[in-house]
Amino acid sequence: MDIRKFVQWVNSKTINYPQAIEEYARDTRAVERAMSVVPYLFFFLLFTAFSATAQWFSRPPFSSALFDPRITIFWAGYVSFDTAVHIACGLFLVGSCMGSLFFNRRWARALAFFGLFQYHAFMSSFGAPEHNLLVFVYPLLFCIFLPDIWRKKETTQLERKKFLVGFIGIQVYIGLIYSLAGLSKLVRGTQALVHGTANFLAPDAFALHIANWLPSTGGDSLFGPFIVAHPYVGWPLFLGMLYFQFFTLVAVFRPALHWMWGVFLISFYILNYFTMNIFYVDTFFLIAALFLNSPFEKGFTWRERCGAMPLIGLLFRRTR
Amino acid sequence: MSDDAHADRGYRILVASVPVFIVTYFLLAGFQPLFGFGSGAEKYLLYHWYVFTYVPSHEEVTYDAFVIERAGKPIAPVPLTDSDDLLFDEWRNRPYYTERIRRLGDAIVRQSERVESDRAAIEHHVTHGPITYEVREIRYDPIRKFFAGDILSARTVATFETH
């Protein structure tokens, strides 16, 4: 195989990031789509803030026994636990309200970030990290730096470019965390393979995960027992999940894959729930907003989508 | 420097910040625990999302704690996490306690200095009177245990009395 041609082919599937921003910034539809996504992040945050507050005042998820305040909420060490709950929920609610009402102003987006940041620190102060809300912390931080172009009748090319770079930053963060999750499975799995212990290539890897996980949480699932009994059904699902997770960061830089990866990432959470009873729903919204509704989606054909898939795309190259 | 040049420079810095962010986050959050440096524990705000990296084998080892005496009176052994002796807030606490007990058992077997701190972390949440509990090492095949509840072997590695 000619290495140079192969590298050219790989590059042709991956956007030349700075150059692509120039092109997308000239596309009014892409810019408006990106602009329309941001307010919905704040609307969803408001919904989350109300749900979280309601939970604290009806069925508190934690009690003071496990409370060990993080450094970022040092103030919680100087007030009673009940007061800390009120302050954390209050900051989250006020911040997300302001963010929803005035998403087109930087100070409001900064306030929304601060409220979430404080509430996330509060929820991370009970002995275990809070992953659900963290997926919003970095995106909201990036939102602060977006230019306030919603309020302008005319925008410059530079403002539009800056906005799209900020938007890509949010997508990159999401892509990065999935790719890290996939990379760790591959590295640890390869180490296990070398040492001859259980690894991700074993046909019953997913069945073993389910059988080991479900009893430890005291939970049950609809399809978990079926996959434990029929490991070969779970094998392709597990390998597919690894593939999609690992290449999510690559997919961020291949617009033809955004929609497909959005579908996968949402399916991944549905599968997780029905097999391992892991309920992790907040991320659904973020995935849908950033990938299913990606501003960089240009109505690609199926051949273009499949051809852009890492490794698998090679098959489509040869059949042309 | 003209305004245009200044703006262009700012934009180029912004563009470069995306790959810089990827590399920095990976090095700070992901690299160390993945390649065996550092504690492997997730750092606050720099979570590495390394979940389910270990594929269980057909012979797993875990640790569980069983209450065997309450207020000096022997009782039929009951798992600590299924008993009323621990302060349970919600279902979210169960994995917390399970992991704590597993860490304690691991520390006992390895004769680690962590034993006392892990013990204290668990006993801090025991709500009712003094209890005596055993920490047992349990070997099991996850699939056999899942369907039939079978375990391969169990042995007591330590017995503690709460203060």
Side-chain angles (χ1 to χ4, degrees):
Chain A
M1 179 186 281
D2 185 336
I3 297 293
R4 190 181 295 172
K5 278 186 180 173
F6 177 72
V7 171
Q8 278 175 354
W9 178 79
V10 170
N11 285 338
S12 73
K13 301 296 173 192
T14 308
I15 61 169
N16 180 338
Y17 157 60
Q19 191 186 326
I21 296 291
E22 294 275 353
E23 289 165 17
Y24 276 108
R26 284 189 209 100
D27 181 352
T28 308
R29 197 186 64 96
V31 177
E32 285 179 351
R33 207 166 179 179
M35 286 167 63
S36 72
V37 166
V38 175
Y40 281 94
L41 296 182
F42 291 94
F43 300 156
F44 186 75
L45 195 72
L46 181 59
F47 165 78
T48 307
F50 267 112
S51 305
T53 307
Q55 192 189 19
W56 269 107
F57 292 99
S58 55
R59 280 180 74 209
F62 297 110
S63 79
S64 58
L66 297 173
F67 190 54
D68 180 17
R70 296 278 183 183
I71 184 81
T72 45
I73 51 161
F74 63 90
W75 51 263
Y78 298 96
V79 296
S80 70
F81 180 70
D82 286 345
T83 307
V85 171
H86 282 85
I87 293 174
C89 290
L91 287 172
F92 193 19
L93 270 175
V94 170
S96 56
C97 273
M98 290 295 113
S100 297
L101 291 172
F102 306 109
F103 60 83
N104 53 6
R105 288 165 198 272
R106 184 167 287 165
W107 64 263
R109 297 197 298 277
L111 199 60
F113 165 75
F114 180 71
L116 172 67
F117 182 65
Q118 291 291 288
Y119 185 76
H120 172 262
F122 182 75
M123 290 298 282
S124 297
S125 300
F126 295 90
E130 163 58 74
H131 285 102
N132 263 335
L133 285 170
L134 186 74
V135 292
F136 285 93
V137 172
Y138 281 92
L140 255 67
L141 175 65
F142 297 147
C143 281
I144 298 174
F145 301 104
L146 295 175
D148 287 340
I149 59 176
W150 294 274
R151 291 188 288 150
K152 294 187 175 178
K153 285 182 183 169
E154 300 269 327
T155 53
T156 65
Q157 171 76 355
L158 184 65
E159 285 172 327
R160 291 193 294 268
K161 285 195 298 185
K162 282 184 173 175
F163 193 92
L164 291 179
V165 172
F167 194 89
I168 286 183
I170 299 171
Q171 287 182 319
V172 157
Y173 171 70
I174 299 297
L176 186 60
I177 61 177
Y178 284 103
S179 287
L180 278 172
L183 175 70
S184 62
K185 289 183 182 71
L186 285 177
V187 171
R188 292 277 158 78
T190 306
Q191 287 169 347
L193 195 64
V194 170
H195 291 111
T197 54
N199 60 77
F200 62 90
L201 289 178
D204 55 358
F206 194 30
L208 283 161
H209 267 306
I210 295 169
N212 207 37
W213 173 258
L214 278 180
S216 72
T217 61
D220 198 1
S221 72
L222 189 62
F223 299 124
F226 177 79
I227 290 178
V228 176
H230 305 88
Y232 282 93
V233 177
W235 195 21
L237 295 175
F238 191 66
L239 292 178
M241 178 207 67
L242 259 179
Y243 170 83
F244 277 99
Q245 269 197 343
F246 181 67
F247 286 114
T248 303
L249 188 57
V250 176
V252 167
F253 290 98
R254 296 185 180 186
L257 296 176
H258 285 190
W259 185 85
M260 190 190 288
W261 248 252
V263 171
F264 150 70
L265 292 173
I266 288 175
S267 309
F268 165 68
Y269 286 113
I270 294 172
L271 178 74
N272 263 352
Y273 176 69
F274 283 116
T275 54
M276 297 181 75
N277 194 29
I278 297 174
F279 191 70
Y280 200 73
V281 75
D282 293 8
T283 323
F284 267 50
F285 182 85
L286 208 52
I287 303 298
L290 295 174
F291 291 93
L292 287 184
N293 187 42
S294 170
F296 307 112
E297 168 66 46
K298 282 181 176 174
F300 297 98
T301 64
W302 275 104
R303 180 170 285 277
E304 285 171 324
R305 292 184 203 281
C306 295
M309 290 175 78
L311 303 179
I312 293 174
L314 287 169
L315 299 173
F316 290 84
R317 181 193 180 208
R318 283 174 184 155
T319 53
R320 275 178 192 173
Chain B
M1 191 186 286
S2 71
D3 284 354
D4 279 356
H6 191 268
D8 190 51
R9 186 163 176 267
Y11 173 68
R12 277 189 279 128
I13 290 172
L14 190 67
V15 168
S17 68
V18 171
V20 168
F21 171 74
I22 294 173
V23 173
T24 309
Y25 192 97
F26 174 69
L27 290 177
L28 292 177
F31 182 78
Q32 292 185 5
L34 189 61
F35 294 98
F37 306 107
S39 67
E42 288 197 297
K43 297 177 195 75
Y44 171 58
L45 292 178
L46 288 171
Y47 300 159
H48 50 56
W49 302 85
Y50 293 170
V51 286
F52 298 105
T53 55
Y54 170 76
V55 178
S57 69
H58 283 279
E59 186 179 334
E60 280 297 296
V61 178
T62 191
Y63 299 92
D64 206 349
F66 292 83
V67 183
I68 56 169
E69 276 184 18
R70 273 198 197 103
K73 292 180 182 170
I75 59 165
V78 53
L80 188 58
T81 48
D82 291 343
S83 73
D84 295 331
D85 298 292
L86 272 184
L87 174 69
F88 266 87
D89 296 327
E90 281 294 329
W91 62 270
R92 291 179 75 150
N93 289 162
R94 191 185 174 90
Y96 172 83
Y97 290 128
T98 306
E99 178 60 16
R100 283 283 174 181
I101 293 167
R102 196 197 60 72
R103 277 171 52 119
L104 172 62
D106 187 60
I108 294 165
V109 170
R110 290 174 190 273
Q111 297 181 324
S112 156
E113 292 173 357
R114 244 185 29 223
V115 172
E116 283 309 310
S117 61
D118 285 344
R119 238 189 102 182
I122 294 165
E123 293 180 12
H124 176 65
H125 304 298
V126 172
T127 50
H128 310 297
I131 59 166
T132 304
Y133 64 98
E134 284 181 352
V135 179
R136 296 181 189 169
E137 180 191 82
I138 297 165
R139 290 179 181 274
Y140 65 100
D141 175 349
I143 291 180
R144 278 178 59 189
K145 186 165 175 265
F146 184 81
F147 285 119
D150 294 350
I151 58 168
L152 302 173
S153 66
R155 70 181 178 106
T156 301
V157 291
T159 303
F160 298 116
E161 191 175 331
T162 58
H163 303 297

